[in-house]
């Protein structure tokens, strides 16, 4: 219509007008057009609609501009999120995956944008949980025994009271180590000197006659070896170390010597070296102070044989 412009009919029966001031007289009859609504009057029926013809390039450019704007807004919101610091309590985390060495978790606190895990040495056992046969078999496949801190941990569980014990920023991503322990056993420091008392997790039992003892994990990247003669003087216990110090149990140790070459120790099992995805940067010689695992099985009269205490040595902290 040369008086007004081009009238456009939509597929739903509504009609709109491209005014002649907006080049509405340049269109051909029956052409398919791409339009943008510039004004809408819904007080009348049918509503009055003013249109402007646009090209696909203009639409794509507008979409890219919106996308860029949204990305900048998202980046700004991410920067506002709280930066993780050692000692922060993130409280609730959801278990995503569990194996012998670590549990991957998702931090439910939206203030933190981090990737998180709980190392076995920093994990506390949960309240007794009844496991199905399938769940027990899965744990046995990962060598997670009833003595292991992760025995009661299941994918989907919510762990409360988690706090940050270390932060590592790499490529713009914050990786954090968490613990649900409420004592100093979760200290991630690898600066361990002779005489330092540490808490460790038994990872394997070394059986060769010349190097009988326990391999333990002290921290992420820090392992240790406890010679059998440092475990006890009781022959019954030394003859059945695996039962008295089961894999996965937590024991208290004292550093005898740190950071030496492992030439005088048995070869560490490869599975225990690589299972948590990190190299064992430090290897310590340790002696046992106390085992938190269950005592050995009872003998015939129902009494459990006591573990004889070690002889006191010069320099021991009592």
């Amino acid at each position: 219509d040369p008086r007004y412009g081009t009238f456009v009919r939509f597929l739903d029966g509504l009609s709109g007008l491209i005014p002649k001031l907006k080049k509405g007289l340049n269109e051909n009859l029956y052409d398919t057009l791409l339009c943008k609504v510039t004004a809408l009057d819904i007080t009348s029926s049918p509503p009055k609609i003013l249109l402007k013809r646009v090209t696909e390039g203009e639409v794509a450019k507008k979409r890219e501009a919106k996308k860029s704007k949204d990305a900048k807004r998202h980046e700004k919101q991410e920067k506002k999120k709280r930066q993780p610091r050692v000692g922060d309590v993130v409280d609730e985390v959801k278990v995503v995956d569990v194996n012998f060495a670590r549990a991957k978790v998702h931090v439910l606190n939206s203030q933190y944008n981090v990737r998180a895990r709980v190392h076995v040495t920093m994990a506390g056992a949960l309240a007794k949980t009844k496991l199905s046969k399938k769940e027990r078999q899965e744990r046995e496949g990962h060598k997670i025994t009833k003595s292991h801190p992760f025995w009661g941990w299941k994918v989907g569980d919510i762990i409360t009271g988690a706090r940050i014990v270390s932060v590592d920023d790499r490529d713009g991503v914050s990786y954090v180590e968490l613990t649900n322990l409420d004592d100093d056993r979760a200290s991630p420091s690898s600066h361990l000197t002779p005489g330092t008392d540490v808490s460790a997790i038994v990872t394997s039992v070394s059986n060769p006659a010349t190097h009988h003892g326990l391999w333990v994990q002290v921290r992420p990247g820090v392992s240790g070896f406890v010679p059998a003669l440092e475990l006890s003087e009781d022959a019954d216990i030394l003859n059945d170390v695996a039962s008295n110090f089961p894999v996965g149990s937590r024991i208290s140790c004292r550093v005898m010597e740190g950071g030496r070459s492992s030439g005088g120790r048995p070869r560490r099992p490869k599975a225990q070296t690589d299972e948590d995805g990190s190299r064992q940067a430090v290897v310590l010689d340790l002696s046992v102070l106390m085992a938190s695992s269950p005592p050995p099985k009872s003998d015939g009269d129902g009494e459990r044989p006591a573990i004889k205490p070690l002889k006191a040595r010069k320099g021991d902290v009592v």
Side-chain angles (χ1 to χ4, degrees), residues 35-47:
C35 300
K36 178 177 76 171
V37 176
T38 58
L40 180 64
D41 181 5
I42 59 174
T43 59
S44 61
S45 181

Side-chain angles (χ1 to χ4, degrees), residues 41-57:
D41 181 5
I42 59 174
T43 59
S44 61
S45 181
K48 296 177 182 178
I49 305 172
L50 287 182
L51 303 170
K52 177 185 176 182
R53 185 178 182 185
V54 294
T55 63
E56 291 186 1

Side-chain angles (χ1 to χ4, degrees), residues 65-121:
K66 185 178 183 301
K67 197 177 194 181
S68 176
K69 187 177 180 180
D70 290 343
K72 288 180 180 179
R73 186 187 300 114
H74 178 72
E75 184 178 355
K76 190 175 180 180
Q77 291 174 346
E78 289 298 314
K79 287 182 178 179
K80 285 184 178 179
K81 289 191 174 182
R82 187 171 179 178
Q83 293 299 314
R85 293 184 179 86
V86 173
D88 283 357
V89 177
V90 300
D91 198 16
E92 292 188 341
V93 297
K94 185 176 183 180
V95 179
V96 177
D97 181 56
V98 181
N99 63 29
F100 183 95
R102 58 103 187 100
K104 288 183 180 178
V105 296
H106 172 66
V107 177
L108 299 181
N109 188 335
S110 59
Q111 289 184 326
Y112 293 93
N113 182 27
V114 297
R115 294 186 183 180
R117 75 173 188 174
V118 181
H119 194 266
V120 62
T121 58

